[in-house]
Amino acid sequence: MIHISSVFDKNYLALAIALVDSIKRTYGEDFEFHCLCLDDESLKVIGENFPQAITYKCSELEDEELRSAKKDRPYNEYCWTLASWFSNYLLTRLEMPHIIYIDADIWFVDDSKDFFKECLDKSVGIMRHRHIPPGHPDGGYNVGVVSFRNDKVGIRTLSWWKDAVLKKEPRDLATCGDQKFLEAFPNIAKTENIKILDENFSYGAPWTYRLYGWSNFFNTGKVLWGDKEQPLVFVHFSRIGINTETKEVTNVTDPQFSVHTLNDGVFSIPEVAWLYYQYRDTVLKVIQDYKLYAK
C-alpha cells in the first residue's frame, strides 16, 4: 500500500477528486489518500465518497508554530507552508512508513505503478523543473511530487524542510514559497539517498511542454526529452481555470509563464490541447457528479 498526502480547499476540490480518480485508474485502489482539508465542504465531500481517503482538519492538528505562521503570512503562503508540515505530521506523529506528497492539480495519465515504486526507491524523492537549473529563484526542483521514507534520512530531510518553510530560513532559499528549499536536500540527505523522480519518467506542465518532442505521444504515450523517450506519467495543470458555464479552459498560464509557454503557443500543440480537453471534461464531470460549487 502507498500513502499519499495532499492539501487543498474547496477551490481545488474538483481537481483533488480528479487526482484521486486518476490514481485509482492508473495504479489501483491499494492506497491511502491523506487529505488536509482546509474547509468543511472539502472535508465532507472527500470523506463521504472515497474509501481510500483519510481526512484531517487543520484546526485540529495545528501546533503553536503553525498557528504563529498562520498569523504572519498571506493565505496562499500559509497553504504552501502546509505541504511539508502535514507530510511531517504523518511521517513522524502517525508513523506512516512513507509519504508521497502530491499537489491537488496533478492528474495521472499513464500507468503509475513504476513511478510510485521509484518514489519509494530511496529515502527522498524529488523531481526537476527541467526548464531551469538549481540556483534560479524559482528553484531547480518542483514541489508537485515529493516523497519521503520513514527512515533516518527521510525524517531528517522532511523535518528540515518543515522548519525551513515555517521560519523562511535560510533567506536565500525563501524565494519561491516552499519550493526552492528542495535545492538543499542533496546536502541534507546526501545525493546517494535521493531519487530523481523524473529520471525515467516525463511529466507535463506549462514550463515543460516546449521541451518535448510529441510525435509519438498518441501512439506510445511517450514524449522525447533530449535523447530520452519517456512515458508521460502525469500532467501538472498549474494555474488552470475551467469556466463551468462556457466549458472553456481559462487562465492556463500567467505572465510569469509566458516565456516558457511561448506566449501560450504550447497550448496549440495538438497533444497538449488534447490533454487539456481530457482534463477539462474530467473536472466538469466531477463538478456535475458531486454537485460542487452549486449556487
Side-chain angles (χ1 to χ4, degrees):
M1 175 177 287
I2 58 173
H3 299 268
I4 294 166
S5 68
S6 195
V7 179
F8 52 88
D9 61 13
K10 62 184 178 182
N11 296 309
Y12 280 79
L13 178 55
L15 310 189
I17 292 173
L19 166 62
V20 177
D21 285 341
S22 75
I23 296 172
K24 291 167 65 176
R25 172 172 46 79
T26 64
Y27 179 81
E29 300 194 1
D30 191 23
F31 68 94
E32 286 186 345
F33 188 55
H34 299 268
C35 315
L36 185 58
C37 301
L38 304 185
D39 49 57
D40 291 339
E41 182 177 353
S42 300
L43 191 79
K44 184 176 188 298
V45 173
I46 292 289
E48 291 181 355
N49 291 283
F50 295 93
Q52 294 87 1
I54 302 173
T55 57
Y56 305 78
K57 293 178 69 172
C58 200
S59 59
E60 296 174 345
L61 306 182
E62 287 174 335
D63 57 16
E64 185 176 345
E65 279 188 310
L66 192 60
R67 283 191 291 270
S68 177
K70 188 176 184 178
K71 295 176 182 177
D72 72 3
R73 60 196 66 182
Y75 176 71
N76 63 328
E77 290 188 21
Y78 173 66
C79 292
W80 296 337
T81 305
L82 295 174
S84 57
W85 179 85
F86 182 49
S87 296
N88 185 74
Y89 175 88
L90 295 171
L91 200 70
T92 61
R93 294 281 297 277
L94 300 190
E95 299 183 341
M96 297 295 162
H98 60 264
I99 283 297
I100 305 170
Y101 170 80
I102 305 179
D103 275 349
D105 54 1
I106 280 176
W107 190 58
F108 287 87
V109 297
D110 197 4
D111 191 322
S112 60
K113 294 184 182 67
D114 288 340
F115 176 77
F116 283 127
K117 183 178 179 181
E118 293 216 354
C119 286
L120 305 177
D121 186 49
K122 294 188 177 183
S123 296
V124 178
I126 51 178
M127 64 181 191
R128 291 167 289 194
H129 256 138
R130 293 192 162 189
H131 69 300
I132 51 176
H136 189 280
D138 290 345
Y141 301 98
N142 183 261
V143 79
V145 180
V146 190
S147 60
F148 303 91
R149 289 197 319 210
N150 194 340
D151 57 28
K152 289 183 179 179
V153 174
I155 291 172
R156 181 172 70 244
T157 307
L158 178 52
S159 296
W160 179 90
W161 186 33
K162 179 206 72 168
D163 290 342
V165 176
L166 280 168
K167 298 173 184 175
K168 297 184 180 183
E169 294 286 350
R171 297 301 298 173
D172 63 316
L173 297 180
T175 58
C176 190
D178 57 350
Q179 185 162 261
K180 189 171 169 62
F181 293 108
L182 303 184
E183 289 186 2
F185 284 12
N187 290 329
I188 296 166
K190 305 305 179 186
T191 301
E192 62 268 22
N193 296 314
I194 293 180
K195 185 70 176 182
I196 302 300
L197 301 178
D198 62 306
E199 188 65 37
N200 299 310
F201 303 93
S202 280
Y203 70 96
W207 52 88
T208 66
Y209 299 132
R210 65 184 172 86
L211 306 178
Y212 299 153
W214 292 90
S215 60
N216 289 326
F217 177 73
F218 283 138
N219 293 323
T220 65
K222 296 180 179 180
V223 296
L224 187 66
W225 181 45
D227 61 353
K228 297 179 180 180
E229 189 175 50
Q230 299 176 324
L232 188 82
V233 175
F234 66 84
V235 178
H236 193 162
F237 288 96
S238 180
R239 308 298 177 92
I240 194 171
I242 298 176
N243 189 313
T244 57
E245 295 182 0
T246 65
K247 299 185 179 180
E248 293 179 343
V249 175
T250 60
N251 301 321
V252 295
T253 186
D254 64 17
Q256 74 174 24
F257 283 166
S258 61
V259 65
H260 308 307
T261 64
L262 306 179
N263 291 319
D264 291 357
V266 295
F267 300 109
S268 296
I269 297 171
E271 293 81 1
V272 174
W274 179 82
L275 287 166
Y276 275 77
Y277 289 139
Q278 296 297 309
Y279 190 61
R280 176 204 64 183
D281 291 347
T282 297
V283 173
L284 288 174
K285 187 174 188 306
V286 165
I287 292 171
Q288 180 180 14
D289 289 349
Y290 293 91
K291 298 179 174 58
L292 304 182
Y293 316 129
K295 295 181 180 179

